[in-house]
Amino acid sequence: MSEEQFTNVSLIVLLTGLIIFIGFIIWDLGKKSNAGKFGMFILFLVLGFGVLGFVLKNVLVEFLVLKQ
């Protein structure tokens, strides 16, 4: 396995783990603050948009780089 392959695989695995961990942090934040169902929905919606934007940015960059 080359360094480039290792970097690509570890980036995917570690970023997936980080995103799951961020989801756990959002869930824990809502639980500790007694947010309720609607509050938990808003927390995941608003804070999840940041993670979604990060992922979409990377996907778009990959597609634009692959087209060239």
Side-chain angles (χ1 to χ4, degrees):
M1 177 180 279
S2 70
E3 181 183 355
E4 182 181 358
Q5 290 172 331
F6 176 75
T7 303
N8 288 335
V9 170
S10 62
L11 181 69
I12 291 170
V13 170
L14 293 177
L15 276 180
T16 302
L18 180 64
I19 290 170
I20 291 170
F21 185 61
I22 289 173
F24 170 74
I25 291 172
I26 295 171
W27 174 78
D28 191 48
L29 177 65
K31 186 175 178 181
K32 285 184 180 177
S33 67
N34 296 324
K37 289 182 182 180
F38 183 70
M40 191 74 81
F41 172 74
I42 295 298
L43 279 172
F44 273 101
L45 182 71
V46 172
L47 296 176
F49 270 134
V51 175
L52 183 66
F54 176 75
V55 171
L56 287 177
K57 177 192 66 106
N58 287 331
V59 169
L60 287 174
V61 166
E62 288 296 322
F63 279 126
L64 291 175
V65 169
L66 289 176
K67 282 190 172 183
Q68 292 180 0

